[in-house]
Amino acid sequence: MSDILSFGEPMVEFNSEALGGPRAGSIFSAGFGGDSSNFAVAARRLGGRVGYLTRVGADPFGGMLQQLWHDEGIDASHVIVDEEHPTGLYFILRHGAMTEFQYRRQGSAAAHLTPSDLPGGWVEDAKLLHVTGITQAISASARETVFEAIDRARGAETLITYDPNIRPALWPLHTARAIVRYTIPLCDVVVPNLDEGRMLTGREEPRAITQELLAMGARMVVLKMGGAGAVVATPDEYIPVRTREVVAQDPTGAGDTFDAGFAVALVEGRPPAEAAMFASAAASRVVQGLGAVSPIPRRSEADAIYTELAALSV
């Protein structure tokens, strides 16, 4: 049985290093992405028992993703192979200091997720369900699947974490704001980053952002602030959480790994501020590598970084 669940759109990633400028050729290395899948891989590597649900195309890319989940030890037994729609792809193009993302995800298999794809008992028997705004954005049926999963989790008292993960390229900002604001009070923990907090609230400073999100009905807000660490806020507490200084190469997947580290630590019974420090430790490792999945640390490495952070925080 899986303790931690996520579902949404996985993608195969093609990561490039430009040769001689933007008009020259590039060498692409294949990898994996998609926020919900990144979360599942990170949660498993960090010690959680993880289940993942999606639809993948009946194509080589869907097969690559299924092999990834098998190799990582993720329960993907409920993944559906869609014979009619393709697996989503994206490309990371690098031109010196500039990074460009190109997506081929329109009409993907995962966008055809429906509430009936959720197996009976899957959500109800878990300890934590993680949902994201990207899953809500990719299609109306995927959005309804998120709300169905939330309803089931609330009925079973399964903990719900929610990363708004706002992507204006996927849906208009006013629509994203409306859906995210509706979703926030349905969940136990909201885990936005600083930019998303600003988009949702119109506030600039972390304390004002967290207070506004709490006023929207959030029970707990964990605000991710990159190199500035994080904040854990409830109606009664406001706790800054430090991170370590690193030379960042690529932020791709760091937020998903933070979410996963927080979820794993929470399921293990650690206090929220301690869970956020563990999450920050894991995420700080991800930004030092390239791509969404390859740099995600294993538990032993994350524990070592956490110990270093904890010592600095005394």
Side-chain angles (χ1 to χ4, degrees):
M1 184 180 73
S2 299
D3 292 332
I4 297 172
L5 304 179
S6 70
F7 66 94
E9 182 180 41
M11 290 184 286
V12 172
E13 168 193 280
F14 292 94
N15 204 327
S16 81
E17 286 291 345
L19 304 177
R23 295 187 179 277
S26 294
I27 296 175
F28 286 89
S29 57
F32 304 98
D35 62 341
S36 57
S37 179
N38 297 341
F39 172 91
V41 172
R44 182 70 190 107
R45 289 189 186 178
L46 294 172
R49 296 193 300 176
V50 181
Y52 186 65
L53 174 68
T54 189
R55 285 175 172 262
V56 295
D59 50 42
F61 306 116
M64 291 166 64
L65 285 160
Q66 290 187 83
Q67 187 63 51
L68 166 73
W69 302 320
H70 176 271
D71 292 346
E72 295 289 343
I74 294 165
D75 179 2
S77 58
H78 297 297
V79 167
I80 298 163
V81 177
D82 189 322
E83 299 286 344
E84 298 180 9
H85 305 102
T87 305
L89 310 175
Y90 74 103
F91 300 81
I92 303 176
L93 307 175
R94 303 181 192 282
H95 313 301
M98 296 176 58
T99 301
E100 176 186 356
F101 289 82
Q102 292 281 342
Y103 292 90
R104 298 294 183 270
R105 72 197 307 177
Q106 187 71 32
S108 72
H112 290 81
L113 277 167
T114 68
S116 63
D117 292 333
L118 294 169
W122 189 68
V123 172
E124 294 86 342
D125 293 339
K127 294 180 180 178
L128 184 146
L129 171 71
H130 181 68
V131 294
T132 85
I134 288 181
T135 308
Q136 293 177 305
I138 58 175
S139 71
S141 65
R143 184 159 57 249
E144 290 307 310
T145 306
V146 170
F147 287 128
E148 174 67 18
I150 288 173
D151 284 347
R152 293 190 191 183
R154 285 166 62 88
E157 299 186 349
T158 298
L159 196 68
I160 306 166
T161 58
Y162 177 48
D163 187 336
N165 229 338
I166 296 173
R167 297 292 183 270
L170 288 177
W171 52 355
L173 185 55
H174 67 273
T175 303
R177 283 198 190 107
I179 297 297
V180 170
R181 287 173 176 171
Y182 178 83
T183 308
I184 282 172
L186 303 177
C187 302
D188 297 292
V189 185
V190 182
V191 198
N193 65 31
L194 188 58
D195 288 340
E196 290 159 354
R198 288 169 173 162
M199 282 189 277
L200 286 168
T201 67
R203 308 289 187 176
E204 287 294 318
E205 296 304 316
R207 185 181 289 271
I209 290 168
T210 60
Q211 294 308 303
E212 189 80 15
L213 293 172
L214 290 168
M216 290 179 193
R219 296 167 180 80
M220 178 184 296
V221 178
V222 181
L223 185 65
K224 298 175 286 190
M225 301 189 297
V231 167
V232 177
T234 69
D236 302 316
E237 291 185 303
Y238 181 86
I239 307 172
V241 177
R242 71 180 303 161
T243 189
R244 62 177 182 146
E245 293 184 10
V246 298
V247 177
Q249 290 196 70
D250 182 1
T252 308
D256 306 325
T257 295
F258 184 104
D259 296 349
F262 186 80
V264 168
L266 216 57
V267 166
E268 291 176 353
R270 296 162 83 167
E274 188 176 316
M277 186 177 291
F278 177 73
S280 182
S284 74
R285 174 63 185 87
V286 174
V287 300
Q288 293 178 279
L290 296 177
V293 169
S294 295
I296 296 172
R298 304 286 174 179
R299 179 60 180 258
S300 58
E301 185 176 6
D303 279 341
I305 298 170
Y306 170 81
T307 300
E308 173 188 333
L309 275 178
L312 292 172
S313 301
V314 173

